[in-house]
């Protein structure tokens, strides 16, 4: 989970790069693309967890 929070911080840094006229646009685009790839990898890891939680919720509803 900590890594996901770190990625959010890195995303903020990229946003700050966008406002710096001295930084090349290609550098910003490459950095953003790499960061989005990392976010997708971590987000994909949450899918099974969320599916499991949904299954447990449904199971609890059936037992009421």
């Amino acid at each position: 989970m900590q890594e996901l929070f770190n990625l959010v911080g890195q995303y903020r840094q990229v946003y700050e790069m966008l406002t710096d006229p001295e930084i090349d646009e290609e550098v910003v685009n490459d950095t953003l693309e790499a960061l989005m790839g990392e976010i997708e990898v971590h987000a994909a890891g949450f899918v099974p967890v969320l599916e499991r939680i949904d299954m447990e919720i449904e199971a609890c509803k059936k037992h009421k």
Side-chain angles (χ1 to χ4, degrees):
M1 183 71 107
Q2 185 64 30
E3 289 181 35
L4 191 57
F5 288 118
N6 291 338
L7 291 172
V8 171
Q10 291 174 6
Y11 183 77
R12 287 185 182 141
Q13 290 174 342
V14 171
Y15 180 77
E16 290 174 11
M17 290 171 65
L18 290 171
T19 61
D20 187 343
E22 295 182 16
I23 296 180
D24 183 27
E25 184 178 336
E26 188 174 334
V27 171
V28 175
N29 288 335
D30 290 346
T31 305
L32 186 56
E33 185 176 324
L35 183 57
M36 293 306 294
E38 286 293 318
I39 290 173
E40 287 176 10
V41 167
H42 288 286
F46 281 103
V47 171
V49 174
L50 296 174
E51 288 174 346
R52 176 69 183 190
I53 291 171
D54 285 342
M55 288 174 28
E56 290 178 7
I57 289 170
E58 290 303 315
C60 288
K61 287 179 181 178
K62 289 180 182 178
H63 286 285
K64 285 188 174 185

